[in-house]
Amino acid sequence: MSARIALVVVSLILSVLIGLALKGDGASSSGTEESSDKKIKIGLSMDTLEEERWKRDRDMFVARAEALGAEVMVLAASSDDTQQIKDIDALITNAVDVIVIVPHDGAAMAKGVEMAHQAGIPCIAYDRLITNCDLDLYITFDNVRVGELQAKYLVENLPKAKKNKIVRIYGAKTDNNALLFKQGQDNILNSYIEKGIVEVIHEDWAADWNPENAKKICDAAITNHGTKFQAVLASNDGTAGGAIQALKEEGISGSIVVTGQDAERSACQRIVNGTQSMTIYKPIKLLAERSAEIAFAIANREVVIASDKTDNGKKEVPSLFLEITAVDKNNMMDTVVADKFHSKADIYGE
Ligand code: BGC
């Protein structure tokens, strides 16, 4: 791998990537000279396009990569690991220069990285970590922080009772991010649980992050414990939407604190209408564009300087973490709308 990526600083990303050299032995060459005649081909292997956020990720990634002069081949696996491996195989057959992967299962996709490496193609994990493999770079948000902000919001907005009951809905167990979100939530919640201020009456993992599975978890909580709970700590907007549907059927939506993540349009609408309490706004444009720039640079055999590293079980993967913001009805205009992530009309109506 080290021969594949020469040690050249990538000027367009240098402003944010400072510190850890991705690969290389110090030899320097101009990547742009090497590749000037050849159109760079980037493979983007996605878990799914079912959720609003992933369509945005794709569109913004492709737009930036094309603006740089690259061609992008996008394949989405509909939450199926076998399909995602086939997709990666197809990208290798199509001789892409670099593969950017949003893994459905971060453990299962190690095989995809190995296959790509055997063909001499570097791999970047996008948003979700790929574990136990020789991954080249990982770009994501601060996912532990996401969980911390969700739990912090929840405890700060619980009724001022001595004891509050909550339901916890985690994401897909196969997604390393879901574990990180839980870890962040635990960082905040554990002391409240130990003091008896918060009691978790029901908790479960929503397979594939599916809103219907989240609804089932909320339904099970209601069946087993009734409706006398004060909050649902849902790990993203999709699962929040499923939970809110269950709460609606019981006539209690709007009176329960519900967290989320992704600032999906429907979630932002629920926030201003009062059925969801908050979301986490992640600047996807930054993630998508930065990833496209890095993929382009790596395809040109330039070295990327990463600011951080992540232990993926096999190695310290050069990493880049982007900041996130908690959003509720009070700062919706100053964040999501000000950034043009959604228009005011899209959220509040005309
Ligand atoms: C992402 C979230 C997303 C979830 C479900 C996670 O890996 O970080 O933004 O909501 O997957 O797609």
Side-chain angles (χ1 to χ4, degrees), residues 96-109:
V96 296
D97 298 289
V98 56
I99 304 182
V100 178
I101 306 172
V102 185
H104 168 250
D105 182 322
M109 247 4 80

Side-chain angles (χ1 to χ4, degrees), residues 51 53-54 127-128 175 177 181 209 236 261-262 282:
E51 290 165 52
R53 91 149 266 199
W54 298 116
D127 194 68
R128 299 174 177 169
D175 175 3
N177 281 357
F181 301 145
W209 287 99
N236 78 343
Q261 159 181 203
D262 290 334
K282 299 157 84 167

Side-chain angles (χ1 to χ4, degrees), residues 4 35 38-43 70-71 91-92 94-100 119-123 295-296 298-301:
R4 286 210 294 274
S35 58
K38 187 180 154 247
K39 183 145 184 155
I40 292 296
K41 271 206 238 174
I42 301 175
E71 186 186 311
L91 295 172
I92 295 168
N94 274 274
V96 296
D97 298 289
V98 56
I99 304 182
V100 178
I121 303 170
C123 294
F296 187 74
I298 289 179
N300 272 315
R301 302 299 185 255

Side-chain angles (χ1 to χ4, degrees), residues 69-110:
E71 186 186 311
V72 188
M73 183 173 172
V74 184
L75 295 172
S78 304
S79 307
D80 181 334
D81 294 327
T82 311
Q83 184 57 50
Q84 192 158 25
I85 290 291
K86 280 188 195 157
D87 290 350
I88 291 173
D89 200 30
L91 295 172
I92 295 168
T93 307
N94 274 274
V96 296
D97 298 289
V98 56
I99 304 182
V100 178
I101 306 172
V102 185
H104 168 250
D105 182 322
M109 247 4 80

